[in-house]
Every structure is written in structure tokens, then in C-alpha cells.
Amino acid sequence: PNLASPTPFFPRIQSINLAHNNLSTLPLSFLKFSNLKMLNLSGNQFTEVPLIVRLFPFLTMLSLSGNQLISYP
């Protein structure tokens, strides 16, 4: 599904694996995953920890290994 489309099942998703997708940012529409507990962003193009991850109150595991992090919030 398109992240911009309103889809009722998004709040139920607790784990997302976006490893090795050449990502460097996360869109604000990612906030639809309100119950996210685990997020794998390893092996992408992030240079800093996405600020949006601070807005997930249930997030207990964040993987950013294999990125080119130069800034930490």
C-alpha cells in the first residue's frame, strides 16, 4: 500500500524491516505506524538518526547498522 493512503491496519503494525532499501529519510506519513515496536533501517543511506523515531512511544528496537551516521540527536 501507498504510505500516503489512509489504511486502517497501519496502527496494528508493530515491526517493520526496511533494511537495504537505499533510504536516507522517512516521510512524516510514517507516523501512521503508531504502535511500532521494532524498526530495522540497517544498510541504508542515513547520515543521522531520523528525528521521527522519537515520536514512536513503543519503539524498543531501532537498527541503523550499516549506515553512514555522522550525527546523533
Side-chain angles (χ1 to χ4, degrees), residues 2-40:
N2 182 338
L3 288 180
S5 67
T7 308
F9 69 87
F10 279 164
R12 297 181 186 161
I13 294 175
Q14 295 183 1
S15 177
I16 297 177
N17 183 350
L18 292 173
H20 307 286
N21 278 288
N22 204 33
L23 300 174
S24 59
T25 62
L26 291 177
L28 285 177
S29 58
F30 212 73
L31 289 172
K32 292 180 181 181
F33 302 108
S34 57
N35 286 317
L36 199 60
K37 292 182 181 180
M38 299 185 315
L39 178 58
N40 184 353

Side-chain angles (χ1 to χ4, degrees), residues 5 20-21 23 25 27 33-34 45-46 48-49 51 54 56 63-64 66 69 71:
S5 67
H20 307 286
N21 278 288
L23 300 174
T25 62
F33 302 108
S34 57
Q45 303 297 317
F46 290 96
E48 59 187 15
V49 178
L51 294 177
R54 293 181 180 183
F56 294 110
S63 177
L64 285 161
L69 296 178
S71 175

Side-chain angles (χ1 to χ4, degrees), residues 51-65:
L51 294 177
I52 196 171
V53 300
R54 293 181 180 183
L55 302 176
F56 294 110
F58 304 109
L59 191 66
T60 57
M61 193 285 294
L62 173 64
S63 177
L64 285 161
S65 64

